[in-house]
Amino acid sequence: MNDQTPRRLGGSLVERAAAHQAFVQRQAAQQHAPAQQAAAPSPVAPAPKPRHDLPVFGAVEAPRAPLVRPEAAPVAPPEQPASARRRIAIDRKKLAEHGMLVPGATVTALAEEFRLVKRQLLTTARQIRAGGGEGADDRSRMILVCSAKPNDGKTFCAINLALSMAAEKDVEILLVDADFAKPDVLARLGAPDGPGLLDVLAGAVASAEDCVIDTDVPQLSVLPAGTRSVADTELLASAGAHAILDGLAAANPRRIVIFDSPPILAASPASALASHVGQVMLVVRADRTRENELRDAVGLLDGCDHIQLLLNSVSIQPGGRRFGSYGAYYGEPDQ
């Protein structure tokens, strides 16, 4: 018997049929095995392992030619420094036409008058600092200039005070146009307006320092009133306004902040501002301000403990005081 043929097995027909089927499958597998081995692809050699003893950049080759032509590459504009601010030149001719102080000009009687005014204000500022208390240093460097009624000369006095104080050696002056209903500071200086304090209070501008405008007068900068709002008093009385206004002085320990506010009997922002400043300079027009108006004005400024009067438009009398009248308000106003 050939051992390649199935042996006869005992058992049932089913068992013998299964044995025969297994024999046929083994025969077929032996016949196809050489062909499958011939068709199998040859094994692929493994890729060489990277050398870890070389620096990472050793396998990176720089391109032989630039990917973009130099002339086609866009040129970005130079980045402005974070401290860069808008700068204006004050119109000296316009100042002279309006009878105001002119920086660098000959000392006049008006210049001497405002020298006396600023000396008193600086003395009061030192007294406020000496008194101590929370925020005394910053508050002592904030001055509100206002009047009882319109056309009493408060903007004229605020600008001249700022120009006179800017001549001091150890201070920097920030003149703030806080007369939101009738802003006039930038126009009198011959400069264009821009975003200002109201925009900061309303949240349209992140920082008041972004709106500050430097001038060509050393140590003098200005802050415009900003976009007019029907809620100017409410914005000034808000909790956020305290931090913003106090921050104007806190941003620079050398800075004195002068606010030109609306007339106290004509608009309410002056009363709200009085609670932020260390002292108020109330401009009184000699030929028109009445005693009852002056009393009402002082009463509305009770948020500030230091209220001083500046008598404006005084007629010079022979043998009288040359520089007008100026002093603290302690009792009855002069008739």
Side-chain angles (χ1 to χ4, degrees), residues 111-147:
E112 290 291 356
E113 290 168 354
F114 275 96
R115 281 177 171 176
L116 294 178
V117 170
K118 72 177 178 181
R119 290 269 76 80
Q120 181 63 45
L121 293 171
L122 293 172
T123 298
T124 304
R126 287 193 294 269
Q127 294 172 352
I128 295 173
R129 287 195 297 272
E134 184 179 358
D137 179 66
D138 292 341
R139 193 170 60 255
S140 69
R141 294 182 286 109
M142 302 175 77
I143 303 170
L144 176 64
V145 179
C146 68
S147 61

Side-chain angles (χ1 to χ4, degrees), residues 221-278:
S221 56
V222 293
L223 176 60
T227 306
R228 186 173 299 184
S229 170
V230 296
D232 48 12
T233 302
E234 289 75 16
L235 290 172
L236 285 171
S238 65
H242 285 270
I244 293 171
L245 294 175
D246 293 346
L248 293 176
N252 185 345
R254 290 165 42 92
R255 177 184 282 175
I256 294 178
V257 184
I258 300 174
F259 295 92
D260 175 34
S261 82
I264 185 65
L265 299 182
S268 54
S271 179
L273 281 169
S275 62
H276 294 281
V277 301

Side-chain angles (χ1 to χ4, degrees), residues 134-212:
E134 184 179 358
D137 179 66
D138 292 341
R139 193 170 60 255
S140 69
R141 294 182 286 109
M142 302 175 77
I143 303 170
L144 176 64
V145 179
C146 68
S147 61
K149 298 187 305 181
N151 302 317
D152 284 349
K154 50 97 182 168
T155 300
F156 173 88
C157 292
I159 294 176
N160 284 324
L161 177 63
L163 291 169
S164 181
M165 279 194 165
E168 295 291 309
K169 302 302 180 183
D170 302 321
V171 300
E172 296 179 19
I173 307 302
L174 175 61
L175 176 58
V176 181
D177 192 345
D179 190 345
F180 305 124
K182 189 182 177 183
D184 198 30
V185 169
L186 272 295
R188 294 205 186 191
L189 295 177
D193 210 338
L197 181 56
L198 276 178
D199 299 291
V200 181
L201 294 175
V205 178
S207 172
E209 296 300 320
D210 295 336
C211 301
V212 172

Side-chain angles (χ1 to χ4, degrees), residues 148 265 282 284 289-299 309 329 333-334:
L265 299 182
L282 181 59
V284 181
T289 305
R290 298 178 180 178
E291 179 181 345
N292 64 317
E293 294 169 340
L294 181 58
R295 289 183 180 276
D296 291 342
V298 172
L309 305 184
Y329 178 80
D334 295 336

Side-chain angles (χ1 to χ4, degrees), residues 63-109:
R64 300 181 182 276
L67 300 178
V68 181
R69 294 181 181 178
E71 61 270 17
V75 178
E79 186 177 355
Q80 294 292 334
S83 60
R85 292 198 301 217
R86 180 181 164 198
R87 184 179 177 86
I88 60 172
I90 292 179
D91 190 340
R92 269 76 168 169
K93 183 178 179 181
K94 195 166 189 176
L95 290 178
E97 290 174 352
H98 286 84
M100 292 190 283
L101 298 180
V102 178
T106 305
V107 176
T108 61

